[in-house]
Amino acid sequence: MAANNLGELLRASCSKWGDEPAFLVRSKHGFEPVSYATLWQRATAYAAALRALGVARGDRVAIQSENCPEWAQADWACQLLGAILVPIYPTLPPDQSQYIVADSEAKLLLAGSDEQTAKHAAGRPAEILQLLEGEDSLDARAQQLLGSLTDADVEEAIRGTLPGDPATIIYTSGTTGAPKGAILAHEGFTSLMEAIVGSLPIDHNDRFLSFLPMSHVYERVAGQILPISCGATIGFAGSLRSLPSDMKAVQPTVMLCVPRFLESIRDKVVDKASKAPLVRRKLFNLAKDQLVKRYRGKPAPLAGLMDVLVGAKVRELTGGKLRFFVSGGAALPTHVSEFFMAFGMPMLQGYGLTETTAATCINHPDDNHPDTVGPPIAGVEVRIADDGEILVRGKSRMIGYWNLPEETAQAIDSDGWFHTGDIGVFEGPYLKITDRKKDILVLGNGKNVAPQPIENKLKESPLIAEAVLFGDGMDCVCALIVPDFDALTQAAAEHGLAPAPPEQLIELDAVKQLIKREIDAVNKTLANFELVKKHRLLSATFSIEGGELTPTLKVRRKVVKEKYADVLADLLG
């Protein structure tokens, strides 16, 4: 039976798994365990510190920090008190950070560093407290107040939180417009935990490695709350730079990831193999060929041997114990999924949004349909509207948008269905996402083009890092292409071209022909009205700081269109 609230869920897990490791925390001595009993002690100490600072039930507490165990402890402390945590991406600039604090009317801001504190120099909340260090930090306050919150106090606080009460307000990064705060209830989290643990093979023997932003609903739900709900262990990666060594040290059995992370691993493995001595290079290429054939169900007589000689070494890059990846946040390109599946690392694609508490559908290791996002999770209703839009209903659906009644009414209809803005179809019980409703391109001839499938096909090319399609009101589909400059430089060298900066490289006729060949190959698979007939190469990569990517690394089509308006105008001229 699901817990009534997140505080109750934490108490039950800490009581059941007491001496087992809840966290693995990076230190100079390696990764050191923190038991469930210690997690409970620290969460209640943090709760005592927050209460001493005047935080009460229903108050908003903002947090802006990189991932760390203290982030999770502060979150659990809020859930014990019935306070509402408001996470802010650590990469957001000052104006957006201040907007979230002001809009949510946060009583307190927990900042992970001086850099994060400095973002709030103007428009400060009632109080800012360092999360990690210094005398005036949450950790220091907690140490001073250790034990001041009695068991009876904690029990009373937990009992006072109802299942439908808000647990968090998470501001959607959005691809357009100002962020909106989605209010998520305790029962949304707890009902999903019960359903997921009841269906996916995850238990207290599993190890997770936390490296995605905890400020995002995906990592918060599936990488923090889910492991705690079933007694599993969470290892905290030091940084993206230390991630390769952290994977080998923690040896995770389950890893949450986004497609860009997986593409990066695949590209690095392939690139390293391409630069290896001839014998090793040929061995890797043979292994890839045989293992992919076996995965596709084709004859591959050397696949078993290749798996032992090469596949095992590739798996060692993730620690060697991985049972499966769970990919979310964006569409997973088929060639990336196929690569990992072929090398013995199952890839489960799932689907969800901030407004649906992250988890709506997910594949199962024993019934995996990698070209879909799997069937709906138990207790979550999903249907397809007449216009193809995916609608979601259930306890995990948000309460609404913070202080935005009109936007809430637009998003949630009178029957309680949340309109996701995604387009999809059911293939049997399995949901397949085909595009974003707002992204559908309407050509001048009235034809509708779904850009994402075409963009994903283009990005399967090793020479193309990003592809953004446009076509509204135009006579054909056109694209802005960001090359993968490392791969492009190597390909150019093979054609006798000297290395050059990106802005010079994209002007070379030979380079233009290389990219055009990739686009032409994709065009052969498309309907006539979908053909990418015009394109331009861009010399600058997309980034969060540049505004082209959201914090979850989705392309902001509107921003790209505005930023490169002159390029598009020239392209269409």
Side-chain angles (χ1 to χ4, degrees):
M1 185 175 179
N4 286 310
N5 57 58
L6 286 169
E8 190 175 297
L9 183 151
L10 178 67
R11 182 188 59 191
S13 288
C14 290
S15 174
K16 183 175 182 178
W17 306 108
D19 293 332
E20 296 297 315
F23 295 161
L24 292 174
V25 182
R26 207 168 189 267
S27 72
K28 60 183 179 181
H29 304 296
F31 280 87
E32 299 180 357
V34 174
S35 71
Y36 272 85
T38 301
L39 170 59
W40 177 257
Q41 181 187 50
R42 292 182 180 177
T44 53
Y46 274 32
L50 293 176
R51 191 173 70 164
L53 291 162
V55 174
R57 182 178 309 284
D59 284 341
R60 274 75 64 201
V61 176
I63 183 169
Q64 188 166 27
S65 171
E66 301 288 349
N67 284 17
C68 58
E70 292 82 2
W71 202 114
Q73 289 159 195
D75 187 6
W76 287 115
C78 287
Q79 306 315 322
L80 291 174
L81 293 176
I84 302 169
L85 193 79
V86 182
I88 306 173
Y89 284 101
T91 54
L92 286 186
D95 58 339
Q96 295 181 41
S97 303
Q98 292 168 24
Y99 172 83
I100 292 173
V101 168
D103 187 68
S104 65
E105 301 173 271
K107 189 168 190 176
L108 175 69
L109 169 69
L110 301 175
S113 64
D114 290 338
E115 178 188 358
Q116 300 297 346
T117 300
K119 292 179 180 179
H120 300 271
R124 299 170 68 91
E127 186 163 4
I128 299 179
L129 202 64
Q130 291 279 64
L131 181 64
L132 300 174
E133 55 194 26
E135 294 181 8
D136 190 28
S137 71
L138 178 62
D139 200 55
R141 297 286 184 95
Q143 290 300 318
Q144 294 170 8
L145 296 164
L146 193 63
S148 65
L149 198 66
T150 67
D151 291 344
D153 293 332
V154 175
E155 184 61 31
E156 182 182 359
I158 291 174
R159 281 202 311 266
T161 301
L162 301 177
D165 286 348
T168 189
I169 301 173
I170 301 180
Y171 281 76
T172 59
S173 54
T175 53
T176 60
K180 300 187 290 286
I183 311 168
L184 305 180
H186 282 263
E187 65 181 355
F189 291 94
T190 57
S191 63
L192 282 174
M193 296 309 103
E194 182 185 32
I196 294 171
V197 172
S199 60
L200 273 184
I202 295 174
D203 60 26
H204 68 283
N205 295 305
D206 281 305
R207 283 189 176 188
F208 290 65
L209 181 60
S210 177
F211 73 96
L212 297 176
M214 291 167 65
S215 43
H216 187 255
V217 69
Y218 178 37
E219 176 67 24
R220 180 110 167 272
V221 170
Q224 297 296 321
I225 298 174
L226 175 61
I228 295 300
S229 73
C230 62
T233 303
I234 306 166
F236 288 85
S239 65
L240 287 177
R241 182 174 296 178
S242 69
L243 190 55
S245 61
D246 292 342
M247 283 192 287
K248 291 180 180 179
V250 172
Q251 297 183 310
T253 60
V254 180
M255 274 192 73
L256 306 183
C257 53
V258 293
R260 282 176 181 272
F261 167 74
L262 297 168
E263 288 181 69
S264 174
I265 290 182
R266 177 193 175 278
D267 291 348
K268 286 176 181 175
V269 170
V270 172
D271 182 62
K272 185 176 180 180
S274 71
K275 296 174 181 176
L278 181 62
V279 173
R280 285 172 54 193
R281 184 165 70 247
K282 286 189 172 183
L283 184 64
F284 175 82
N285 289 335
L286 176 61
K288 184 157 71 78
D289 176 70
Q290 287 287 294
L291 293 173
V292 169
K293 281 182 177 177
R294 183 175 69 176
Y295 171 68
R296 292 175 178 173
K298 297 180 179 179
L302 298 177
L305 177 61
M306 291 299 100
D307 189 58
V308 172
L309 295 177
V310 180
K313 288 184 171 59
V314 174
R315 290 191 290 275
E316 285 174 6
L317 297 175
T318 65
K321 299 287 182 68
L322 191 74
R323 295 198 296 122
F324 50 81
F325 283 107
V326 181
S327 177
L332 179 65
T334 301
H335 72 289
V336 176
S337 171
E338 189 174 70
F339 176 85
F340 284 96
M341 297 285 281
F343 276 90
M345 292 174 278
M347 183 71 57
L348 307 183
Q349 192 166 189
Y351 169 71
L353 301 92
T354 301
E355 292 90 342
T356 63
T357 318
T360 298
C361 299
I362 191 168
N363 274 292
H364 191 283
D366 298 329
D367 185 26
N368 190 12
H369 293 246
D371 58 336
T372 77
V373 293
I377 293 168
V380 179
E381 296 179 80
V382 180
R383 75 177 181 88
I384 307 297
D386 293 340
D387 63 356
E389 185 175 11
I390 300 167
L391 310 183
V392 179
R393 186 168 68 178
K395 290 180 180 178
S396 58
R397 192 214 69 204
M398 70 170 179
I399 297 170
Y401 291 118
W402 177 257
N403 286 338
L404 295 172
E406 291 183 6
E407 285 82 351
T408 298
Q410 290 172 3
I412 303 173
D413 65 27
S414 57
D415 292 323
W417 291 100
F418 171 69
H419 291 241
T420 65
D422 289 319
I423 301 294
V425 295
F426 273 108
E427 295 182 349
Y430 313 101
L431 181 65
K432 186 170 187 176
I433 312 298
T434 57
D435 220 296
R436 284 288 298 170
K437 187 175 181 179
K438 291 180 180 178
D439 284 348
I440 296 295
L441 308 178
V442 182
L443 302 181
N445 60 10
K447 293 284 189 179
N448 288 358
V449 177
Q452 284 191 5
I454 302 172
E455 290 166 348
N456 287 335
K457 285 185 177 182
L458 289 167
K459 289 191 290 183
E460 287 184 15
S461 164
L463 301 182
I464 297 176
E466 289 290 355
V468 187
L469 268 56
F470 300 94
D472 279 331
M474 303 174 188
D475 59 1
C476 66
V477 176
C478 62
L480 296 181
I481 304 290
V482 179
D484 182 314
F485 286 105
D486 289 338
L488 188 61
T489 298
Q490 184 175 336
E494 292 171 0
H495 285 73
L497 301 176
E503 60 272 15
Q504 295 177 18
L505 201 60
I506 63 172
E507 296 299 329
L508 300 176
D509 288 339
V511 166
K512 291 179 180 179
Q513 285 301 314
L514 284 173
I515 299 295
K516 189 175 186 305
R517 282 194 211 111
E518 302 297 309
I519 296 172
D520 288 344
V522 171
N523 276 341
K524 290 178 181 178
T525 69
L526 304 177
N528 186 59
F529 67 90
E530 295 176 318
L531 299 179
V532 180
K533 295 184 177 180
K534 298 179 180 180
H535 72 274
R536 284 287 187 276
L537 304 184
L538 303 180
S539 61
T541 57
F542 293 165
S543 67
I544 297 171
E545 295 74 19
E548 302 94 347
L549 300 178
T550 72
T552 53
L553 305 181
K554 297 186 184 77
V555 172
R556 286 188 165 111
R557 196 178 303 274
K558 181 181 177 182
V559 172
V560 173
K561 185 176 182 179
E562 291 173 351
K563 193 165 186 175
Y564 295 98
D566 291 345
V567 177
L568 283 169
D570 179 64
L571 180 62
L572 297 171

